[in-house]
Amino acid sequence: MTPDIHTRPQWPNSRMPQLCLALLLAAALILIRPAHAEEDKVTLNFVNADIETVTKAVSQITGKNFLLDPRVKGTVNVVSSKPVPQSLAYHFLLSALRMQGFAAVENNGVVRIMPEADAKTHGSQTIKGGGGPSGDQMLTKVFPLRYESANLLVPILRPLIAPNNAINANVNNNSLIISDYADNLARLEKIIAALDTPYGAEPVVIPIRYASVIDLASTLNRIYGDASGAPDASQRATLIADTRSNSLVVRSDNPGKLARIRALVETLDQPTAVAGNIHVVYLKNAEAVKVAQTLRSIVTGETNTATGGLTPLSPSTGAQAPTTGAAPGNMSPAGTALSTGQGGSGSGAGFIQADSTNNALIITAPEAVYQNLRRVIDMLDKRRAQVFVEALIVELSSDRASEFGVQWQDFSGASRNGTQVVGGTNFGSGGSNILGLIQNVATAKTTGSLGISPGLNLGIIAGKTAGGLPNLGILARFLETEANANILSTPNLLTLDNEEARIVIGSNVPFLTGQYAQTGNTATATPFQTYDRKDVGLTLKIRPQISEGGIVRMQIFQEASSIQPGTLSNASGPITNKRSIETAVVVDDGGIIVIGGLIEDSYGMGEDKVPLLGDVPVLGALFRYDTRKRTKTNLMVFLRPQIIRDAASYQSVTSDRYDYVIGQQRKSADGAMLMWGEGSVPILPPPGSPLTVPHAPVKP
């Protein structure tokens, strides 16, 4: 459809009388803005007009160069009932395109019209801060923020931006990057300015003159602390005690609440009439007995090892002054000294007593002295960190032994008369010796066992001797043994910082230390023996100490002991094998360190032979008995300390071990055959449930 464009006609140059022309010229000189300087106006009338046709018409009116994307298709309707300035024709076009989902990007004198989703990726104009053009032109704007977080504003502003346009947060410099239409960016600028304001008022410092700031902060937190998690920011109040300056730091968004807190502080911060007040301080983490001993040592300047004793605290001057001028490190304010014994006045004397039942301190002292002691108590009563130590004790051992020998005897002439030759070779002892084996065979009916040593034993019996014993002529023995052991012990310990922990896994074995049998004229003897019981097995003792930088210093004692096989019934007592390590190391948090080990490789060789005959090649084996033994032992001890400072850390470690035990229980329960009437195999309750004893199984 051909557009209808009506241009406003210029002033007519018709012929007029000279008088009228003079009047018009005079009026033109009086006008501030000449008539010919006014912008030309046009009347726009586009009904179902193609976008390309409308763009051409606007290009002729405004003189701008347009570049249309091939995807820009459709019709628009632009109707103006009255003539409008020519410059507004361009804005009418942008508004019509925006309604169709198209946007215009102006760059280097060319206006490119494309789909709205692609406009943000082209070279649109970029502006930082406020200001900039308005209208339906596509822009990219950077908004630096001063107070609010850019990440938190993104979900708030996202619904106010067209779906095809973008908003992103730059966390590094806390700024927002938004690509949208110019008029919407101007609106967003006002919204961001309203949101980017300081959060609440600045903290207020309230100096405390007489009361203890720690006790006062605890009291106020019980009153106003319930609203600290309120969703309304105006109801929140934060109170922190600054012990160094004995001041209370208060922060609240509600001026009325801040005024009420200040008034309550002034009411509570009043001097007391009694010179020596009794104060009870309940400790949260530290031990009252140890803290009391430390405080008494600080005040008296001596090391007091007594627990629960009374130490008098007495100022050398009379009245007590406020502690606002107390110097750090002094236990009393300026001009006040503490002394013990008879030097202080009786009215100002005080005591520190520990109540271990309630884990509390009872302090009787003037306010000035109590406030200084209260600061020290607050510093000492901190939650102590814990150390979880994982130990790996790995022992690999391998034993190999072999025996080979030939023995022979000839007692066939023992039953004949005259001179006969008998004899042979015999090596070893017991069932491995040919003579011992002859005795075992002869008594087999009585003992019920032949008593042959392990291994391959080959022999030849040629009748019996004169004594009725079997005539074992030849005995050949072949034996090879191999034993491997892989022992992995993983003891774990959880202990407080600078507290010793010990774990013992083994047996308590008695060792004979003495014996006595009564002798003399007594008819009945009364013998007795004395024993000393010792732990035999695995022992691990650790005392960790955490430094400020997260380094763990550990004093370690580790011992692995065992009873040597076959020595438990010895008359002199069993023989124990012991491997122990005692050392002090420094380890990073979570690091693994090896504290010691043993690598042993021993080889033993034994040879019994007949002189000369045993050295003959090949045939010498008939006159020789060889033994070989080799033992390899590898023992290593590894430690891994892990610092645990909060509940989440030890809960993670506990749940990991808990799940492991449950898995092992379920694995062992698979295929278990239960007796009639028995319930299921007992298994630990799920994590988080009460640790109760399982109920007795119900018979079916």
Side-chain angles (χ1 to χ4, degrees), residues 42-380:
V42 295
T43 301
L44 303 178
N45 187 11
F46 301 101
V47 180
N48 292 329
D50 185 71
I51 292 179
E52 183 177 356
T53 304
V54 177
T55 304
K56 290 180 180 179
V58 174
S59 177
Q60 294 177 1
I61 297 173
T62 60
K64 293 182 178 291
N65 300 319
F66 291 90
L67 182 62
L68 272 70
D69 189 281
R71 294 171 291 178
V72 178
K73 303 291 183 182
T75 59
V76 296
N77 295 299
V78 180
V79 178
S80 60
S81 59
K82 296 181 180 180
V84 296
Q86 294 182 357
S87 59
L88 293 180
Y90 176 63
H91 297 287
F92 273 103
L93 175 62
L94 296 183
S95 300
L97 293 175
R98 180 176 177 180
M99 297 178 64
Q100 296 291 333
F102 303 115
V105 178
E106 187 174 354
N107 191 13
N108 296 329
V110 178
V111 181
R112 289 176 291 180
I113 300 176
M114 61 189 68
E116 187 181 65
D118 297 338
K120 59 180 177 292
T121 61
H122 288 72
S124 60
Q125 186 178 359
T126 303
I127 301 174
K128 180 180 179 181
S134 60
D136 296 306
Q137 182 180 355
M138 182 65 69
L139 298 176
T140 299
K141 220 170 190 182
V142 180
F143 296 93
L145 302 179
R146 297 182 58 189
Y147 306 104
E148 283 293 338
S149 171
N151 277 334
L152 297 179
L153 286 183
V154 169
I156 298 175
L157 300 178
R158 177 72 265 183
L160 305 179
I161 301 173
N164 292 328
N165 296 333
I167 175 173
N168 296 287
N170 184 10
V171 183
N172 294 331
N173 61 355
N174 195 36
S175 61
L176 292 173
I177 304 174
I178 306 176
S179 296
D180 204 357
Y181 296 100
D183 56 353
N184 195 34
L185 287 176
R187 181 172 67 105
L188 293 176
E189 181 180 346
K190 298 178 181 179
I191 297 175
I192 293 174
L195 296 176
D196 188 25
T197 56
Y199 176 76
E202 293 296 327
V204 176
V205 178
I206 304 176
I208 307 301
R209 300 184 59 194
Y210 305 102
S212 171
V213 66
I214 301 173
D215 296 338
L216 193 58
S218 177
T219 303
L220 294 175
N221 276 318
R222 286 196 295 267
I223 299 175
Y224 297 100
D226 296 337
S228 59
D232 188 1
S234 62
Q235 300 301 321
R236 301 172 187 169
T238 305
L239 300 98
I240 301 175
D242 182 24
T243 57
R244 187 188 65 83
S245 61
N246 201 46
S247 302
L248 188 67
V249 182
V250 185
R251 185 173 186 268
S252 177
D253 296 336
N254 191 335
K257 175 170 286 191
L258 186 61
R260 291 194 300 270
I261 294 175
R262 185 186 293 273
L264 184 57
V265 169
E266 293 178 357
T267 304
L268 297 177
D269 186 24
Q270 298 295 332
T272 57
V274 184
N277 297 322
I278 300 178
H279 304 272
V280 179
V281 181
Y282 292 94
L283 302 182
K284 299 178 181 178
N285 302 285
E287 297 182 24
V289 175
K290 294 183 178 180
V291 174
Q293 179 180 348
T294 302
L295 295 178
R296 287 193 293 267
S297 300
I298 294 174
V299 173
T300 61
E302 300 176 356
T303 302
N304 189 358
T305 58
T307 57
L310 298 178
T311 301
L313 308 177
S314 58
S316 59
T317 60
Q320 296 299 323
T323 60
T324 55
N330 295 332
M331 291 303 301
S332 61
T336 303
L338 296 178
S339 62
T340 59
Q342 304 298 328
S345 61
S347 61
F351 303 96
I352 300 176
Q353 176 67 34
D355 180 16
S356 58
T357 304
N358 298 307
N359 196 36
L361 295 174
I362 303 174
I363 302 176
T364 303
E367 286 297 326
V369 179
Y370 169 71
Q371 291 179 23
N372 288 308
L373 293 177
R374 192 65 177 86
R375 297 191 190 98
V376 178
I377 294 172
D378 184 65
M379 296 176 184
L380 296 177

Side-chain angles (χ1 to χ4, degrees), residues 11 37 78 83 128 146 159 247 278 303 383 415 522 535 555 651 674:
W11 289 101
V78 180
K128 180 180 179 181
R146 297 182 58 189
S247 302
I278 300 178
T303 302
R383 177 172 179 170
S415 60
T522 305
D535 294 328
Q555 294 180 352
Q651 287 176 359
L674 300 176

